[in-house]
Amino acid sequence: MTKIQRKTHRGFTLVELLVVLVIIGALGGALYLVLGPSDDKAKAVACYGNRVAIGVALDAYRFSAGLAPEDYNLDRFISDGYQKMITNDKSKCPSGGVYSMDPDNNKIVRCSIHGSGEPDK
C-alpha cells in the first residue's frame, strides 16, 4: 500500500503576508488621495460660516447700538469683546487664519487664509 501524504498548513507564508500588505497599502494610499483634500474644503466651509456669523453679529450690534457701518468696524467690535455674542469656536478660523474687515467693503469679514469670498464647492 502506498502512503497518502497530507499537506498540513499551519499558517500563511511570508510571501502571502507581504502580498496582502502591499494590496492594503495601495488601497489605503488611493483612499488618502481621494479623501485627503476634503479636510481643507471642510475648513474653508467652516471659515466661511464663521465669517458670516461674525458679520451678522457685527450688523446686529451696530443696529442695536445705533452705529453707522462707517463709524464702527470689526476692529472696534473685537476690542469691545464681541466674543460675548459669538461662541469662541466661531471667532477663530479652523486653518489658523486671522479675521479682519475687507478694506474695500467694511461690511465683509475677511480671513487671512481663505479671503472674503465663498468657498469652492
Side-chain angles (χ1 to χ4, degrees), residues 38-60:
S38 66
D39 184 43
D40 294 334
K41 288 181 183 179
K43 286 181 180 179
V45 169
C47 178
Y48 176 72
N50 291 349
R51 288 183 281 128
V52 169
I54 290 170
V56 168
L58 176 59
D59 286 341

Side-chain angles (χ1 to χ4, degrees), residues 86-101:
I86 302 172
T87 59
N88 201 22
D89 61 333
K90 289 186 179 171
S91 63
K92 297 177 184 172
C93 174
S95 298
V98 177
Y99 294 133
S100 62
M101 292 304 292

Side-chain angles (χ1 to χ4, degrees), residues 20-33:
V20 169
L21 287 176
V22 167
I23 291 171
I24 291 173
L27 290 174
L31 186 64
Y32 175 75
L33 290 175

